Amino acid sequence: PQAKLIFIISLFLGTTITISSNHWVMAWTGLEINTLAILPLISKSHHPRAVEAATKYFLVQATASTLVLFSSMTNAWYTGQWDITQLTHSTSSLILTAAISMKLGLAPFHFWFPEVLQGSHFTTGLLLSTVMKFPPITLLFMTSQSLNPSLLTVLAILSVAMGGWMGLNQTQTRKIMAFSSIAHLGWMTIILVYYPKLTLLNFYLYAMMTAAVFLTLNSMKVLKLSTLMTAWTKAPSLSTILLLTLLSLAGLPPLTGFLPKWLIIQELTKQDMAPAAMIISLLSLLGLFFYLRLAYCATITLPPHTTNHMKQWHINKPINPSIAVLTTLSIMLLPISPMLATMV
């Protein structure tokens, strides 16, 4: 417990250092502390899968951190500036975009993310999908005015496409959540140059909905779709919650998840990027398909059905209050969208 506490404190310390820094070296230090703190949490089960996931994660993050340092040093060499907001050299900004894409798991640097998530536990997976994405996104936010818009648009459309297509034939819930994360990152990236605050709003709402889904899946102990099919008899209320949260994550209108997509499409249309908005909206239908399949497995396939699993015992275990709060927020925030829109 003490070791775990130290790792979690280090995780939040690294995140805080990166978010609050003005100097590139401090930002890099925060990212390194983050990486080193999450590694023991990924590999704590000592299963070969977990150790492999930790190794892959370490190699990718170390490469990305090196590229961040390289881009900032190149910028300092040419401009004499170590300030994060003064990234004016074009080559540096290109290298930084590649490095942050690698850190976040944006396509085409996304291949490590599903594997790492599949090898780690649900709670670690939740940290990887939310807390670990925050520092790189804040770096993008701070350098947004000097990044290349067309490159980011290409990366974003590619991410939504890859996240949708590769999630279609998955049966493991953690891999499905990984591809969903890649697709959502595409939505955040496409609007970054034009309206950076919308990127942050999208990230906050995505983190909230993902936390609700991960915690629900964790308390139901669902690792693959065939287990999800029998979970209805075991925890009917959690399955209903999961259905609504997944539909919100897919971005269907009466739910919270529709808000960022709506604002992003609106902003893209204002910026004369209607074709990009249309492409990204059509590609998000791929994501909708696998969310609907998850929701279908969770609630609509009632016994008797074709899976060769035993019917599970109904457990009257109280629902974790954090799941209740997160789900309520994930479903019902759309009516206060005018207030959120004025805040950003």
Side-chain angles (χ1 to χ4, degrees), residues 149-165:
S150 46
L151 173 66
L152 285 176
T153 308
V154 170
L155 287 178
I157 290 174
L158 203 58
S159 293
V160 178
M162 297 305 280
W165 266 313

Side-chain angles (χ1 to χ4, degrees), residues 214-227:
F214 264 108
L215 291 173
T216 311
L217 290 173
N218 186 34
S219 62
M220 288 160 77
K221 299 284 179 282
V222 173
L223 294 176
K224 48 185 188 290
L225 289 183
S226 52
T227 331

Side-chain angles (χ1 to χ4, degrees), residues 71-238:
S71 93
S72 56
M73 283 171 73
T74 314
N75 187 60
W77 179 266
Y78 281 102
T79 62
Q81 284 286 350
W82 278 101
D83 197 309
I84 293 181
T85 50
Q86 305 293 322
L87 189 79
T88 46
H89 193 247
S90 55
T91 317
S92 298
S93 64
L94 286 177
I95 297 171
L96 182 82
T97 310
I100 300 286
S101 305
M102 209 180 284
K103 273 209 166 290
L104 287 171
L106 266 175
F109 308 104
H110 65 285
F111 292 102
W112 62 273
F113 190 54
E115 304 296 324
V116 170
L117 218 59
Q118 180 59 29
S120 48
H121 188 259
F122 267 120
T123 44
T124 315
L126 172 59
L127 286 175
L128 283 170
S129 306
T130 54
V131 178
M132 298 301 289
K133 302 257 160 123
F134 192 42
I137 281 185
T138 51
L139 286 181
L140 278 182
F141 178 80
M142 286 190 274
T143 54
S144 59
Q145 74 285 351
S146 51
L147 298 176
N148 184 342
S150 46
L151 173 66
L152 285 176
T153 308
V154 170
L155 287 178
I157 290 174
L158 203 58
S159 293
V160 178
M162 297 305 280
W165 266 313
M166 294 177 78
L168 288 180
N169 60 352
Q170 298 297 333
T171 55
Q172 302 284 336
T173 47
R174 282 171 296 186
K175 275 199 172 174
I176 291 176
M177 290 312 293
F179 288 117
S180 129
S181 177
I182 292 165
H184 274 275
L185 281 169
W187 279 91
M188 291 173 217
T189 312
I190 199 164
I191 200 67
L192 182 75
V193 176
Y194 306 105
Y195 203 157
K197 286 183 179 176
L198 255 185
T199 300
L200 283 185
L201 175 71
N202 192 349
F203 177 75
Y204 297 144
L205 293 177
Y206 154 77
M208 193 174 65
M209 295 183 286
T210 307
V213 173
F214 264 108
L215 291 173
T216 311
L217 290 173
N218 186 34
S219 62
M220 288 160 77
K221 299 284 179 282
V222 173
L223 294 176
K224 48 185 188 290
L225 289 183
S226 52
T227 331
L228 192 58
M229 287 181 179
T230 54
W232 176 257
T233 51
K234 184 180 169 188
S237 52
L238 276 178

Side-chain angles (χ1 to χ4, degrees), residues 3 6 8 15 20 42 103 110 114 132 147 160 169 181 204 226 240 255 269 294 297 344:
I6 289 169
I8 289 170
T15 307
S20 55
I42 299 173
K103 273 209 166 290
H110 65 285
M132 298 301 289
L147 298 176
V160 178
N169 60 352
S181 177
Y204 297 144
S226 52
T240 316
L255 307 167
T269 325
L294 264 176
C297 288
V344 300

